[in-house]
Amino acid sequence: MEHLSIKGGRRLTGSINVEGAKNAALPACVATLLTDEPVILHRIPQLRDVSTILATITSLGKRVTREGDRVEITHGGALKAEAEARYVKQMRASFLVLGPLLARLGHAVVPLPGGCTIGPRPIDLHLQGLKRLGATIEERVDSVAVSAEQLRGARIDLPYPSVGATEQLVMAATLAKGETWIENPAKEPEVADLIDLLRKMGAQIEVAPTAIRVVGTESIHGAEHTVIPDRLEAGTYLLAAAITGGEVEVRGVVPKHLRPLLAVLKEAGMMCFEGNDTIVLANTERPHPVQVSTAPHPGFPTDLQPPLVAMLSLARGKSVIEEMVFERRFGYTPSLKRMGAHIVLTDRTATITGVSTLWGAEVDAPDIRAGAALVLAGLAAQGFTRISQLEQIDRGYAKIEVKLSLLGAQIERER
Ligand code: EPZ
């Protein structure tokens, strides 16, 4: 099994390029199920999760040609209505195929999703929304079967702005008869990017401040699209600069997507400079403590909570972080504590009293972002850190050891 070996204590300096956003690439690949025409996607990152989604849509009848970060997805044969458990269990985003398959074929069976160990991740909002669009839903022990001769536009009030449910319902509504209003939708940049792609594919979608309106059409066509840069990858590298007292430029980003993080970093005493498509973070001191609650966009992103906590474990004082999106997203804190961090958990809150030194340790990456947090802690710690379950980190970060080495870190992938 591969692991990362890090010798901590180096200040990170230099520039790195950011990849395309994983969480925009995944729904973009799924959206190709809405048409038989070719869809060409650019800036698709080389990640395990992307390989999983491409395998999922291939198993459903698509043909995929991948050259670097360009992916061409064409008709490979008759579309299948049943998704395979081996893909959907690996990654929750595969569950998004349900809506497009239902809209195209009038029925679909998709296994219940798997994914990260960050708390219960129900699919009730996806199913309630599809029901509003006229689908009949049968919840089986291990899968969901849906059917509808013709989806019909409807008003769907989301009780919570779920990213996945919004994406699922927007995709299904593009082929429904009539008009759909999704009230209280997710506003994450990745959702906006999917809507951009769907519009290029002929969907009629308008985004209002508190709702999305979709006017169904009879067919969706091919398109060419470049997915947005990964704000979560960029944010992780900015936090890596912060925790090591370094100076790092992330290139090829959309700075406004990172404003919720930049506001917190500035409060923590970091110098941040925004260019057109770059951000530079410079830090020479231990961070100031901060109080942050995670929230749907434009709030502080839950995906950057674990690397932020890693940084705050070295702050000068007491920080309080509330995790309001996922119930169990502090699962990595026992590992940080083994490295010397002082963290007390109560329900959804972590109180972190900064220490002056972290120490290297042997730890596991329980999920993508928790893995990133442990890498950051390892970069700042004294001595060696060995991180196993590297496949979790590889789901969301392309060549993390190569990029961090370019910034001066002593980090290696070992067998
Ligand atoms: C997306 O997951 C992202 N994944 C996650 O990134 C991200 O953490 C999350 O949005 C929040 O920003 C992808 O885009 C592929 P949600 P998703 O539906 O769509 C509850 C990463 O590390 N909920 O907005 O699954 C749910 O339990 C990953 O890159 C319901 O109750 O997130 C959670 O508490 C991890 N019922 C909250 O909503 C539902 O039907 C947010 O989930 C759906 C969700």
Side-chain angles (χ1 to χ4, degrees):
M1 276 303 222
E2 285 184 333
H3 61 268
L4 278 180
S5 173
I6 305 171
K7 182 164 188 290
R10 292 270 192 104
R11 278 185 79 225
L12 298 192
T13 53
S15 295
I16 46 157
N17 293 320
V18 167
E19 314 285 321
K22 165 180 83 77
N23 291 346
L26 300 177
C29 293
V30 173
T32 65
L33 293 171
L34 292 166
T35 181
D36 282 342
E37 291 185 16
V39 177
I40 297 169
L41 299 171
H42 298 277
R43 213 196 265 148
I44 298 295
Q46 311 226 357
L47 296 170
R48 272 176 78 101
D49 275 9
V50 170
S51 305
T52 306
I53 206 73
L54 292 176
T56 310
I57 61 170
T58 303
S59 74
L60 290 168
K62 286 289 177 187
R63 177 175 298 138
V64 173
T65 319
R66 197 170 173 181
E67 271 171 54
D69 70 355
R70 178 188 186 275
V71 175
E72 182 164 353
I73 300 165
T74 53
H75 182 62
L79 208 54
K80 295 198 186 99
E82 206 157 322
E84 290 179 35
R86 61 185 164 137
Y87 302 124
V88 188
K89 293 279 176 208
Q90 259 184 64
M91 185 184 69
R92 184 178 166 86
S94 312
F95 189 70
L96 291 177
V97 303
L98 185 69
L101 291 179
L102 170 66
R104 285 292 305 282
L105 302 169
H107 61 108
V109 181
V110 176
L112 293 174
C116 299
T117 51
I118 55 182
R121 294 175 78 184
I123 44 160
D124 53 326
L125 304 178
H126 298 238
L127 300 184
Q128 281 162 23
L130 292 176
K131 213 169 176 176
R132 294 280 307 149
L133 295 175
T136 304
I137 303 204
E138 190 196 327
E139 289 187 62
R140 301 176 179 168
V141 182
D142 229 9
S143 64
V144 182
V146 289
S147 58
E149 243 166 58
Q150 168 70 63
L151 292 175
R152 292 189 185 275
R155 184 189 151 123
I156 303 167
D157 281 296
L158 286 177
Y160 182 90
S162 153
V163 172
T166 304
E167 293 171 342
Q168 178 88 270
L169 298 171
V170 169
M171 285 193 280
T174 58
L175 288 173
K177 204 174 174 75
E179 195 174 296
T180 297
W181 283 89
I182 302 170
E183 306 281 342
N184 191 30
K187 299 193 178 85
E188 270 64 7
E190 294 77 15
V191 175
D193 196 49
L194 172 66
I195 291 175
D196 261 6
L197 166 63
L198 291 170
R199 280 193 186 127
K200 290 177 191 166
M201 295 170 77
Q204 287 184 48
I205 308 176
E206 281 164 46
V207 180
T210 59
I212 296 173
R213 175 174 176 257
V214 186
V215 181
T217 129
E218 278 190 5
S219 81
I220 294 287
H221 53 72
E224 189 158 358
H225 180 69
T226 302
V227 304
I228 53 171
D230 198 321
R231 65 191 167 107
L232 304 171
E233 189 203 20
T236 303
Y237 288 117
L238 291 175
L239 285 159
I243 199 172
T244 61
E247 184 170 335
V248 166
E249 178 189 49
V250 287
R251 286 192 303 230
V253 293
V254 179
K256 75 170 182 219
H257 292 168
L258 281 132
R259 296 252 163 85
L261 170 68
L262 295 180
V264 170
L265 286 172
K266 284 176 188 164
E267 207 187 320
M270 310 293 147
M271 287 183 288
C272 305
F273 308 97
E274 284 179 36
N276 280 343
D277 65 350
T278 56
I279 299 174
V280 176
L281 180 140
N283 172 37
T284 48
E285 290 187 15
R286 283 173 63 191
H288 305 315
V290 291
Q291 301 214 351
V292 175
S293 293
T294 64
H297 193 75
F300 188 87
T302 172
D303 291 326
L304 291 178
Q305 176 265 104
L308 176 71
V309 167
M311 181 193 84
L312 294 172
S313 65
L314 286 167
R316 282 180 194 279
K318 194 182 278 184
S319 300
V320 180
I321 304 298
E322 244 186 327
E323 173 53 62
M324 300 308 289
V325 179
F326 288 109
E327 271 169 48
R328 283 206 296 268
R329 215 170 191 179
F330 288 124
Y332 62 93
T333 54
S335 296
L336 270 188
K337 283 164 83 168
R338 282 182 40 222
M339 297 176 76
H342 193 292
I343 302 172
V344 177
L345 295 183
T346 46
D347 192 23
R348 284 179 171 259
T349 304
T351 304
I352 307 130
T353 307
V355 293
S356 56
T357 314
L358 291 175
W359 304 94
E362 289 201 10
V363 289
D364 291 339
D367 69 74
I368 307 174
R369 312 297 168 188
L374 296 173
V375 170
L376 265 53
L379 292 172
Q382 289 207 5
F384 283 94
T385 295
R386 186 179 192 268
I387 304 179
S388 15
Q389 288 181 21
L390 193 46
E391 63 278 8
Q392 285 297 329
I393 299 177
D394 291 338
R395 289 182 53 195
Y397 294 91
K399 299 189 190 116
I400 192 166
E401 73 284 7
V402 176
K403 288 193 170 185
L404 287 170
S405 298
L406 280 174
L407 297 175
Q410 267 188 283
I411 178 168
E412 272 174 31
R413 182 179 291 256
E414 290 174 348
R415 276 190 186 275

